Amino acid sequence: QVQLVESGGGFVQPGGSLRLSCGASGFTFRDAHMSWYRQAPGKERELVARIFSSGTTNYTDSVKGRFTISRVNAKNTVYLQMNSLKPEDTAVYYCNAQPRRFGMSDYWGQGTQVTVSS
């Protein structure tokens, strides 16, 4: 069974930093594309960052230069380093996996709350 477990969320002041982690199991991690999404109350879930199996990364414009997605395949873990946090970054952050294998759908973690406030 596929599992994605996020950790690292919390309460931080504007300008602060957090690192989110997502531990994965139940599929071949190194072949999967991994993403972080976020959802604020009353808003649509949005893609924040994606790291492909090749290591190439994509970011939404609002986080470019501040957030970094990375992966350690030997640990089946994807990270999101968040620096220079703003109140607008407040949301529940979700880990997403695309296993890229026939018969396997995308999978989601349970989410972790990030609150940026003074």
Side-chain angles (χ1 to χ4, degrees):
Q1 69 289 351
V2 171
Q3 283 195 314
L4 300 172
V5 181
E6 300 102 330
S7 61
F11 188 98
V12 296
Q13 294 182 333
S17 297
L18 284 174
R19 188 179 74 159
L20 307 184
S21 299
C22 172
S25 61
F27 60 97
T28 304
F29 181 84
R30 66 187 174 199
D31 294 336
H33 303 324
M34 302 297 298
S35 302
W36 288 97
Y37 288 74
R38 67 186 180 189
Q39 188 167 28
K43 292 198 166 190
E44 286 190 345
R45 187 172 298 188
E46 68 168 339
L47 176 65
V48 177
R50 173 166 288 150
I51 185 164
F52 296 90
S53 59
S54 65
T56 298
T57 58
N58 287 163
Y59 300 92
T60 193
D61 285 345
S62 64
V63 309
K64 285 179 180 175
R66 301 188 297 121
F67 291 11
T68 303
I69 189 170
S70 61
R71 65 195 295 162
V72 179
N73 289 338
K75 297 176 66 174
N76 284 7
T77 301
V78 63
Y79 303 94
L80 186 68
Q81 178 67 47
M82 304 185 295
N83 298 327
S84 302
L85 282 161
K86 304 174 180 180
E88 308 92 89
D89 297 317
T90 295
V92 178
Y93 284 70
Y94 296 91
C95 183
N96 170 270
Q98 297 174 263
R100 303 170 64 230
R101 291 290 179 267
F102 186 83
M104 297 192 73
S105 65
D106 285 13
Y107 296 93
W108 294 88
Q110 82 288 350
T112 185
Q113 177 71 48
V114 171
T115 302
V116 185
S117 177
S118 58

